[in-house]
Amino acid sequence: MTSKRSTLAKFSETDSDLDPSAVAVARCSRLTSVPDRDTVGWESGDEEWGLTTRRPTAPIRTGAGPVSPQQVRWVTDGNVAAYVDDHGDGEVWRIPDTFDQFSEIGTYVSYVDGRAEQYGYGIDGQSLEKAFRALTGGGRYDASDYSVIPCGRQPWILSGPEGTLLCSCFPVDRPSDENQRRTSTITPAGQAIEIEEENSLVLAGASHFVELLTEAEGVEILEAEYDQIRNRTMHIFHGGGANWKISAEDLATLGRIALDPASVPVAQERMVQPPNSTGEISVEWDGPTHQVGERVNDAIIAGYEFTWENPGDTLECVATVRTYRLRNSHSRYRVDYHSDRLAAVVPN
């Protein structure tokens, strides 16, 4: 179960020792048929996480903005208590007393993803208000009738007299409160570094990036910082009074490429199937000219990847092995690659 993180504003002064558990609250969730509203249609039922849900056929327009069909699903059947027992954070949040108080809600971050257009995914005041309006249809309400149960990265539960919604985590901006930011630990070369990121590819790439700089440049990186510039996440690594910047997208590339040439699919003679083709061809790669970590023409060799490329204005698919390189340009590192052409085919 995910650890507790009290990130929403307090909506009532209740004694936490007397509050019912999240599972107990979930056990009381009301399950109903989808509402009959002129502006909302519903898909047939889906089975997910032991719950039967129905998505709206189109975005639901609310006073707080549109809600996509995947963001809120109406729960018509299933064991909500078992779902919360498996995935819940152990907390129950209350809805604000009035609509204008939704803007006072702090951001709850369940997942940090430097490759997303926003900081990550979770719940903030706007997303909670959207889901609430989708549940109630708008209008006056009694806040004590409604409960929110956060479930980490899993969809969260919103319940009330009208029924129960299963709500996917919404894209959220970076919270201003340092205590609400989520970090992961990477250990390149045994050195523990906290990084504000949870995307596994980015984390793997960050570890590889630090190891490349440590070996090729002889630097010692001690900490990492997060910055967002024009909807692009930059991770900035610090050590010895210097810093090294690289985008989350480039880190994700470093996290997925092969570091061992022998693991490239065509390192030995193999049969591969071209895209949009039913046949196979034999493609063999002789191996790299330079090994990972070598410095070649002001770049550091970072890894390899077998892929199919489609040259512009041609029908050919070209089997290639890309050699990825790490370059320093104006105090920022970027990843590029050189392609070795191995074979070309015309798809069937």
Side-chain angles (χ1 to χ4, degrees):
M1 184 177 293
T2 309
S3 60
K4 292 186 177 182
R5 296 180 300 279
S6 299
T7 56
L8 290 186
K10 299 296 184 183
F11 306 133
S12 61
E13 298 299 330
T14 58
D15 186 343
S16 60
D17 292 336
L18 302 178
D19 287 346
S21 70
V23 173
V25 171
R27 190 173 291 117
C28 298
S29 296
R30 188 179 180 201
L31 302 184
T32 64
S33 300
V34 294
D36 184 11
R37 296 174 184 166
D38 293 338
T39 58
V40 182
W42 302 92
E43 301 281 1
S44 58
D46 293 319
E47 298 294 330
E48 47 187 351
W49 298 292
L51 303 175
T52 302
T53 63
R54 294 184 64 180
R55 292 175 295 167
T57 57
I60 299 176
R61 300 192 178 279
T62 75
V67 183
S68 75
Q70 188 57 32
Q71 287 175 326
V72 295
R73 286 95 79 198
W74 202 277
V75 182
T76 60
D77 198 7
N79 192 332
V80 180
Y83 174 84
V84 170
D85 192 32
D86 288 340
H87 306 294
D89 285 5
E91 295 181 339
V92 179
W93 301 335
R94 302 198 180 279
I95 293 294
D97 293 327
T98 60
F99 280 116
D100 58 5
Q101 288 181 299
F102 279 91
S103 62
E104 301 173 9
I105 295 174
T107 300
Y108 163 89
V109 180
S110 61
Y111 181 72
V112 177
D113 187 354
R115 301 180 71 189
E117 288 188 1
Q118 289 174 264
Y119 178 77
Y121 298 91
I123 311 170
D124 60 11
Q126 184 181 37
S127 64
L128 184 57
E129 183 179 354
K130 285 181 180 181
F132 180 72
R133 288 178 180 270
L135 175 67
T136 64
R140 300 184 64 175
Y141 64 90
D142 185 341
S144 63
D145 291 336
Y146 298 89
S147 297
V148 178
I149 304 177
C151 297
R153 301 184 187 186
Q154 296 289 116
W156 44 283
I157 297 291
L158 170 62
S159 63
E162 297 82 3
T164 299
L165 291 183
L166 185 67
C167 308
S168 295
C169 292
F170 287 57
V172 293
D173 290 323
R174 189 185 193 200
S176 57
D177 187 347
E178 292 281 352
N179 295 325
Q180 309 305 345
R181 300 177 187 173
R182 293 175 60 83
T183 63
S184 301
T185 302
I186 58 174
T187 54
Q191 174 69 41
I193 299 173
E194 292 292 319
I195 179 171
E196 209 167 329
E197 180 68 60
E198 291 183 274
N199 185 302
S200 59
L201 281 179
V202 179
L203 291 173
S207 184
H208 184 37
F209 175 70
V210 173
E211 289 177 346
L212 285 174
L213 291 190
T214 299
E215 295 175 8
E217 305 281 15
V219 302
E220 182 181 13
I221 295 177
L222 302 175
E223 58 183 357
E225 182 183 355
Y226 182 106
D227 196 10
Q228 233 172 352
I229 303 173
R230 294 186 294 276
N231 291 332
R232 170 168 288 188
T233 297
M234 301 295 295
H235 286 294
I236 308 171
F237 297 84
H238 300 277
N243 62 71
W244 303 268
K245 302 177 183 179
I246 186 170
S247 72
E249 291 180 349
D250 279 343
L251 288 179
T253 298
L254 293 178
R256 66 174 170 78
I257 57 180
L259 309 185
D260 181 1
S263 64
V264 177
V266 291
Q268 301 176 0
E269 184 175 354
R270 299 192 181 185
M271 301 301 293
V272 294
Q273 183 175 328
N276 303 318
S277 176
T278 58
E280 293 185 329
I281 63 171
S282 176
V283 177
E284 185 174 359
W285 179 50
D286 293 333
T289 304
H290 302 283
Q291 299 296 316
V292 169
E294 285 189 42
R295 176 175 288 281
V296 180
N297 297 329
D298 296 324
I300 304 171
I301 303 301
Y304 319 94
E305 178 186 43
F306 171 76
T307 190
W308 292 91
E309 297 181 0
N310 294 97
D313 301 323
T314 72
L315 293 176
E316 291 182 340
C317 287
V318 180
T320 65
V321 170
R322 295 174 176 175
T323 298
Y324 284 84
R325 303 167 296 199
L326 187 63
R327 296 183 181 277
N328 188 359
S329 175
H330 303 291
S331 300
R332 174 185 162 186
Y333 279 89
R334 290 178 168 84
V335 176
D336 64 13
Y337 61 83
H338 166 77
S339 294
D340 290 322
R341 179 184 176 117
L342 305 179
V345 297
V346 176
N348 295 338

